[in-house]
Amino acid sequence: MDQANSTDRLRRNALGVAAVTFFVVSAAAPLTAVAGGFPIAMLLGNGVGVPLAVLVVTAILLIFSVGYTTMARHISNAGSFYAFTARGLGGVAGGAAAYVAVLAYNAMQIGLYGLFGAVAAGTFAGFGLELPWWVWSGIALVLVAIFGYRQIDLSAKVLAVLVAAEYIVVLIMDLAIVGTGGAAGISAVSFTPDAFMSGSPIIGMLLCFAGFMGFEATTIYSEEARDPHRTVPRATYLSVLVIGIFYAFTTWCMVLGTGPDKLMETLGGLPDPTAFIFVLSDQYVGSTVTTLMSLLLVSSVFAALLAFHNAAARYFYVMGREGLLPAQLGRTHDAHQSPHTGSVLQTILGIVVLAIFVITNQDPVLALFVWLTNLATLCVIALMAVVSFAVIVFFRRNAGLESSAFSTMLAPLVAGVVLAIIAYAVVTHFGLLTGASEALAIALPLLVPAAAIVGAVVANQLKQAGGKRFAELGAHQKN
């Protein structure tokens, strides 16, 4: 059922498989994960076993994608997690999922402003341009606001260039390491069970999961995709495979770069483990590529900012359109057909949270980035678990839509159970993952059920009001 009128619809047929893939790969911020996430996963997690941990996470996400993309063939809605939950588990559960998703994408996007500010300040200081981190964050916020307000395909074109450059520069380093045989020859020890189980495999896997966040956003662009029945599933599988293979290969090359026996010693000897990728680049490809890599790290975080801004704006739009937030958010721009009101709201939220962290003199990385992005990761993992169970219920109620028990029952069941266990592990290890105080390690995860309760209450109010609106929450939008 098409709830949006012709003047308040997202721009139809604007994105193909490649464009949607670029959006979600950009959200995963491949260079950011390689430079910042995986060295920490090695240091705090399972060391040389991280490449295998990446493959395990890739496998879990591929299993999740089976049910996710099967349902996407029948429900095209920019609210994705919310829409799937509403159509499977009912409108009240859908409202809860919508508010958790809004928390997730806004927390991730705003947290990234901290990382962007710190990375940009450090990078450009090397060129003699010294400014406080929050000035760089403010510049990024303005640029993201401009792109988010305009047509979606403009953002796609910008992301295509930035993401391609990220992959190329890292692969140059990877091939140089493999070509020279690394520090101690080519070894497959990273892919052995003993390596995987070394150190803390749980922490290693949890930090690997963070590197994939954003891949699930393929369905957010279903209303703007060309032939979404094919585009969304293809883009989802392609995103998981591209990100997973790239991460596994690159982390393996990082292990080879120092040699498996000296990896932990090298990481432990660095003043900042995020410098590891630049140390390897200097050693194997030279300072010119390292300088280029440092500049591309800035663009990598910017690309992720833009991708998550677009996702958050579309959630605001859907929730306004369907009565879960003020109706003004459910309108699109007359010329750009973008969710411009949601984009503006997301920008305002970014300004407010940035101001709070600046005024309280919090660290842009250890506080703003780490706290909020780990909260977002918890939200998304929990939502994926809920959606997996929603898929099962949806197809049991609509038995004639699909014939494959694997796609509609087995794969979603396995994914739902595994993801629920992982979400529990994130909660119980939240303090270690974030370095937050004991009080914050309890308070931040509690925001997830709090958001769910608010969403459920709002949806229940729609139910009590009667009429068609509650019954149509998360409904399919004709393309």
Side-chain angles (χ1 to χ4, degrees):
M1 187 170 297
D2 196 350
Q3 295 166 310
N5 64 47
S6 60
T7 60
D8 286 321
R9 289 160 59 105
L10 293 169
R11 193 162 182 242
R12 284 349 193 214
N13 301 313
L15 304 173
V17 174
V20 175
T21 302
F22 275 123
F23 268 112
V24 298
V25 171
S26 299
L31 182 54
T32 303
V34 168
F38 288 116
I40 296 173
M42 292 172 179
L43 189 62
L44 300 180
N46 50 342
V48 298
V50 163
L52 182 54
V54 170
L55 292 180
V56 172
V57 171
T58 302
I60 292 171
L61 296 181
L62 285 173
I63 294 170
F64 165 77
S65 297
V66 173
Y68 191 58
T69 58
T70 301
M71 192 160 182
R73 290 202 290 266
H74 304 280
I75 303 295
S76 177
N77 188 302
S80 61
F81 282 148
Y82 142 71
F84 290 2
T85 303
R87 302 323 291 177
L89 302 179
V92 173
Y99 273 73
V100 173
V102 162
L103 173 63
Y105 290 118
N106 281 282
M108 182 65 79
Q109 202 271 351
I110 296 170
L112 283 167
Y113 280 124
L115 180 62
F116 181 90
V119 168
T123 298
F124 291 112
F127 295 96
L129 185 57
E130 296 192 24
L131 294 170
W133 70 266
W134 53 267
V135 173
W136 294 109
S137 297
I139 292 171
L141 187 145
V142 171
L143 291 174
V144 167
I146 292 170
F147 282 115
Y149 192 89
R150 293 177 60 82
Q151 292 177 359
I152 186 70
D153 49 349
L154 176 62
S155 294
K157 291 170 184 175
V158 172
L159 294 179
V161 174
L162 298 180
V163 171
E166 285 182 56
Y167 275 94
I168 290 170
V169 73
V170 175
L171 287 173
I172 288 172
M173 183 198 72
D174 292 345
L175 295 175
I177 293 173
V178 173
T180 58
I186 304 299
S187 168
V189 67
S190 290
F191 301 102
T192 62
D194 286 345
F196 177 79
M197 295 305 297
S198 64
S200 178
I202 293 177
I203 295 298
M205 281 190 62
L206 293 180
L207 290 169
C208 286
F209 255 100
F212 284 83
M213 288 303 99
F215 93 94
E216 77 292 338
T218 49
T219 54
I220 290 177
Y221 302 103
S222 60
E223 293 182 40
E224 298 157 278
R226 292 189 292 271
D227 192 8
H229 297 280
R230 294 184 180 181
T231 298
V232 170
R234 289 178 181 178
T236 303
Y237 285 118
L238 183 59
S239 299
V240 175
L241 290 171
V242 167
I243 296 169
I245 293 170
F246 173 76
Y247 283 165
F249 180 65
T250 298
T251 53
W252 176 61
C253 290
M254 291 164 72
V255 172
L256 296 181
T258 61
D261 295 338
K262 295 189 176 180
L263 175 68
M264 300 304 287
E265 177 186 339
T266 302
L267 284 169
L270 293 172
D272 180 359
T274 61
F276 183 44
I277 191 75
F278 300 109
V279 171
L280 291 176
S281 177
D282 268 341
Q283 180 180 348
Y284 286 96
V285 291
S287 59
T288 300
V289 174
T290 302
T291 300
L292 178 59
M293 190 178 289
S294 66
L295 291 171
L296 285 172
L297 179 57
V298 176
S299 72
S300 173
V301 185
F302 178 80
L305 278 168
L306 183 54
F308 280 110
H309 173 86
N310 282 321
R314 277 152 184 77
Y315 258 97
F316 282 137
Y317 161 75
V318 170
M319 292 170 70
R321 179 181 70 190
E322 305 193 6
L324 296 171
L325 282 175
Q328 178 62 34
L329 290 167
R331 301 195 176 110
T332 56
H333 194 277
D334 290 341
H336 304 308
Q337 291 182 278
S338 63
H340 63 300
T341 311
S343 176
V344 171
L345 175 58
Q346 208 286 318
T347 300
I348 292 171
L349 288 174
I351 292 171
V352 171
V353 177
L354 272 175
I356 292 171
F357 276 79
V358 172
I359 291 169
T360 57
N361 198 32
Q362 297 288 345
D363 188 277
V365 176
L366 298 180
L368 179 55
F369 172 68
V370 172
W371 295 350
L372 294 192
T373 56
N374 275 286
L375 170 62
T377 300
L378 171 59
C379 289
V380 171
I381 292 173
L383 285 168
M384 287 195 293
V386 171
V387 166
S388 295
F389 296 119
V391 169
I392 296 172
V393 177
F394 176 79
F395 284 111
R396 283 182 67 85
R397 290 177 177 170
N398 301 274
L401 291 179
E402 296 283 342
S403 59
S404 171
F406 176 76
S407 299
T408 62
M409 175 65 74
L410 183 58
L413 178 61
V414 171
V417 171
V418 171
L419 289 164
I421 293 171
I422 292 169
Y424 174 78
V426 173
V427 172
T428 56
H429 292 83
F430 202 80
L432 182 58
L433 288 168
T434 61
S437 65
E438 185 176 349
L440 269 177
I442 295 172
L444 286 172
L446 283 176
L447 291 175
V448 182
I453 291 170
V454 172
V457 169
V458 172
N460 191 59
Q461 288 175 342
L462 281 181
K463 182 178 181 180
Q464 297 302 320
K468 296 192 301 180
R469 204 156 200 188
F470 177 78
E472 293 176 355
L473 288 178
H476 173 68
Q477 303 293 309
K478 295 177 182 177
N479 195 272

